[in-house]
Amino acid sequence: MPEPPYRALSILLRVFSLLAALEGLLLIFAEKKRLIVRILLRPPEGEVSTLLLSLLKEMGGMVLMLGILLWFASRNPVRNVAVVDALIAGLCILAVTPLLSLWMTDIGSIYPAYFLWGRSAVRLAIAALLYWLRPRHVHWEPIGNF
């Protein structure tokens, strides 16, 4: 059972776990092309291909796996501090990649630039919150009956 100072981190990890699981299931089981187009903020029909839909389904499996990993890590964040650190690093990477896409491609014609900047700022804020809540010192204990 997590100690009381890590209760907020445990709840936050469970919320992210449920959101990731719902998103993963939606990406896996969304069959209609219209639903995927609506989720992607209605890009032009030529931009949505069968390959993109297939990749979205595979990404849904990865997101579902991330949700399960976060659920298991939320049970004891002190022992699973590496998972919390990986989530923080992943959010930082995901904050930079849309800005690189904005700079290197013409995605600004499909999505407004302030959406991408806002999403990156929110991801960095969540990463900072998780960094602030993460366990600082982990007490080492031997494994076994010593």
Side-chain angles (χ1 to χ4, degrees):
M1 207 55 196
E3 297 174 7
Y6 302 116
R7 185 174 301 269
L9 178 62
S10 178
I11 291 170
L12 195 61
L13 286 174
R14 286 181 191 226
V15 167
F16 286 143
S17 168
L18 291 175
L19 288 175
L22 289 175
E23 181 182 353
L25 290 173
L26 179 71
L27 287 174
I28 290 171
F29 293 113
E31 294 203 15
K32 303 215 186 260
K33 194 172 182 179
R34 287 181 282 154
L35 179 62
I36 296 294
V37 168
R38 183 172 286 184
I39 290 172
L40 294 176
L41 299 176
R42 300 179 194 250
E45 282 290 323
E47 299 289 330
V48 180
S49 66
T50 305
L51 179 62
L52 174 68
L53 295 175
S54 173
L55 288 174
L56 283 176
K57 297 211 181 289
E58 287 189 27
M59 188 170 38
M62 295 294 288
V63 171
L64 186 61
M65 181 181 66
L66 174 70
I68 293 169
L69 184 68
L70 290 176
W71 181 264
F72 289 144
S74 71
R75 297 189 329 200
N76 191 351
V78 176
R79 288 185 56 125
N80 297 306
V81 72
V83 174
V84 176
D85 289 342
L87 181 62
I88 292 169
L91 284 170
C92 290
I93 291 168
L94 286 174
V96 172
T97 52
L99 302 177
L100 284 174
S101 295
L102 184 63
W103 177 56
M104 298 176 77
T105 64
D106 61 343
I107 198 164
S109 64
I110 298 173
Y111 297 114
Y114 62 88
F115 277 165
L116 299 174
W117 280 98
R119 215 167 58 182
S120 294
V122 167
R123 287 175 179 166
L124 282 177
I126 292 171
L129 176 67
L130 285 172
Y131 184 76
W132 182 64
L133 290 174
R134 71 182 282 278
R136 296 283 178 228
H137 55 285
V138 177
H139 184 59
W140 182 83
E141 296 177 6
I143 297 175
N145 297 324
F146 293 109

